[in-house]
Amino acid sequence: MKLLFDFLPIVLFFGMFKYAEADPQWASSFASQYLGFAVAGGSVATSIAPVLLATAVVILATALQVGWLLARGRKVDKMLWVSLGLVIVLGGATIWFQNATFLKWKPSVLYWAMGLAFWLSPLLFGKNLLRLLIGGQIELPAPVWQRLNFAWVAFFGLMGLANIFVAYTFSTDTWVNFKLFGGIGLTLLFTLAQGIYLGRYMDTRGAPGDHAARTAPPGAPADSGKPSGVAKF
């Protein structure tokens, strides 16, 4: 559920872009009427109208996410604040200058900001961010936490580069598709790969006493109590 909440602005951005792209004349007229005050010259070109409308939607959706969390008295993640700031600044520049380049940099800047946070936190504060996030759900040896944290640093760095590559190599339509399907798909695949990697540290034993019976010295009685594991959820 949280994953859907996190990716909701991207889904809405994609939906609005595809809807507006199907009728660029309507998109230009609608954007000029309702976004003209925020656009240099007051008129939105047909070629950029779908991106501008989608940008306005993602700004509103992200702001509503923050407002909803605050209204319910829940903590707003720092990265959500960063995302809101980036989408307002870069999205606002996209709308004003009618140039999608500003918005196309937003995912990369956010990816790199998260990667930098994961990288610098152990160095400057002696804290592993990944362990802080999920350490209450799983127990792992310290070297494993370090490897997982570095893996996320590398993932965020590569995702930022991939976004820039697609943004400057392919059309805006292809970039929008990559922003949704590529971003979510690669994140899910990376998370799945980590889950497979963590499988070796998970408690995969069957009935109580099975593991003790397998590992007990020859002739020693099996322990029928609840076995302890290296990792648990």
Side-chain angles (χ1 to χ4, degrees):
M1 195 68 181
K2 186 179 185 302
L3 186 64
L4 177 61
F5 180 80
D6 292 339
F7 282 107
L8 182 60
I10 299 178
V11 174
L12 294 176
F13 175 89
F14 177 84
M16 174 53 73
F17 178 84
K18 292 299 182 181
Y19 181 82
E21 188 183 37
D23 191 349
Q25 292 295 337
W26 166 85
S28 176
S29 176
F30 186 87
S32 297
Q33 180 178 357
Y34 293 100
L35 295 178
F37 70 93
V39 176
S43 179
V44 178
T46 303
S47 59
I48 198 68
V51 173
L52 262 61
L53 288 176
T55 300
V57 166
V58 80
I59 292 174
L60 180 61
T62 307
L64 288 176
Q65 276 186 320
V66 173
W68 185 81
L69 290 172
L70 293 176
R72 293 176 62 88
R74 299 176 62 179
K75 180 181 178 181
V76 179
D77 293 338
K78 291 181 181 179
M79 282 304 166
L80 182 53
W81 282 116
V82 173
S83 181
L84 177 61
L86 288 174
V87 79
I88 289 176
V89 173
L90 298 179
T94 290
I95 294 174
W96 176 257
F97 294 106
Q98 299 193 56
N99 189 337
T101 301
F102 296 100
L103 186 67
K104 289 179 179 180
W105 271 90
K106 185 259 179 183
S108 291
V109 174
L110 185 59
Y111 282 130
W112 291 335
M114 290 189 292
L116 196 62
F118 273 71
W119 177 46
L120 292 180
S121 184
L123 297 177
L124 299 180
F125 308 106
K127 295 182 179 180
N128 185 305
L129 287 186
L130 188 63
R131 188 170 189 172
L132 290 177
L133 291 172
I134 63 173
Q137 302 173 355
I138 182 173
E139 296 176 4
L140 297 170
V144 177
W145 282 117
Q146 293 175 1
R147 288 196 290 269
L148 291 177
N149 193 75
F150 179 77
W152 278 103
V153 172
F155 174 75
F156 287 135
L158 291 174
M159 284 296 292
L161 291 175
N163 175 74
I164 291 300
F165 174 78
V166 174
Y168 280 93
T169 306
F170 301 96
S171 66
T172 297
D173 181 68
T174 300
W175 173 77
V176 170
N177 291 332
F178 175 79
K179 181 178 171 65
L180 176 64
F181 300 109
I184 295 179
L186 290 174
T187 300
L188 291 177
L189 285 175
F190 179 72
T191 303
L192 177 61
Q194 280 208 332
I196 295 174
Y197 171 75
L198 289 175
R200 69 185 67 180
Y201 301 102
M202 301 293 294
D203 183 357
T204 57
R205 289 160 296 191
D210 289 350
H211 179 71
R214 292 195 301 268
T215 58
D223 183 1
S224 61
K226 181 180 179 180
S228 59
V230 176
K232 62 183 179 181
F233 284 96

